[in-house]
Amino acid sequence: MRDDRQITESLPARLNRWLRRYGPAEVAAVATSYGGFLAASAMGAPLVGAAYAAAMIENVGFYGVMGVQAAWTAAPGRRWRAVALLLVEFGPAELLDTFVVRPAAIGFTVWLLGPALGILAGKLLADVAFYALAIATHEHLRRKGVAD
């Protein structure tokens, strides 16, 4: 079922909706990204290994929150479907992000700025590419009446 509100929704309204949807998961992602990078570095991982650790562990925080949100807000009989839709929404973006874009962005910005600023800068840089694809997919699912 198509939602005609999507056609007339203003950009500020969309930004607000995206912030409510993705914001809590991003807070968790930042914390786990730093934790992953610092833990890997403390164990002697080289820069590229620590960058991959930051990217991988960031997913635990991000998808942990997204999964809980999806399950919590879905109707009781539709919780697994809501969680499965996350795979559709994020799958393509996540494959590219996890194995190429995010480790490269974090590694480069840590090399350039050091870990204190570089982890956050790399994360933000990678998020631009990630969200361009993930939000496009989510909006497509909304237009089709599949996602909320």
Side-chain angles (χ1 to χ4, degrees), residues 25-133:
E26 280 300 325
V27 170
V30 170
T32 54
S33 182
Y34 272 93
F37 185 91
L38 296 173
S41 293
M43 290 188 277
L47 176 60
V48 75
Y52 267 98
M56 300 298 170
I57 299 302
E58 177 179 350
N59 288 338
V60 173
F62 183 84
Y63 290 111
V65 171
M66 290 302 297
V68 167
Q69 276 181 198
W72 186 264
T73 59
R78 299 179 65 88
R79 288 190 175 134
W80 283 113
R81 181 179 183 276
V83 173
L85 279 172
L86 293 177
L87 292 173
V88 175
E89 179 178 352
F90 294 112
E94 191 57 53
L95 286 173
L96 184 61
D97 181 76
T98 297
F99 296 108
V100 180
V101 175
R102 193 161 304 268
I106 290 173
F108 175 71
T109 54
V110 167
W111 173 79
L112 188 65
L113 304 170
L117 291 175
I119 295 168
L120 182 60
K123 182 206 175 338
L124 295 174
L125 184 62
D127 280 352
V128 171
F130 175 80
Y131 279 114
L133 186 52

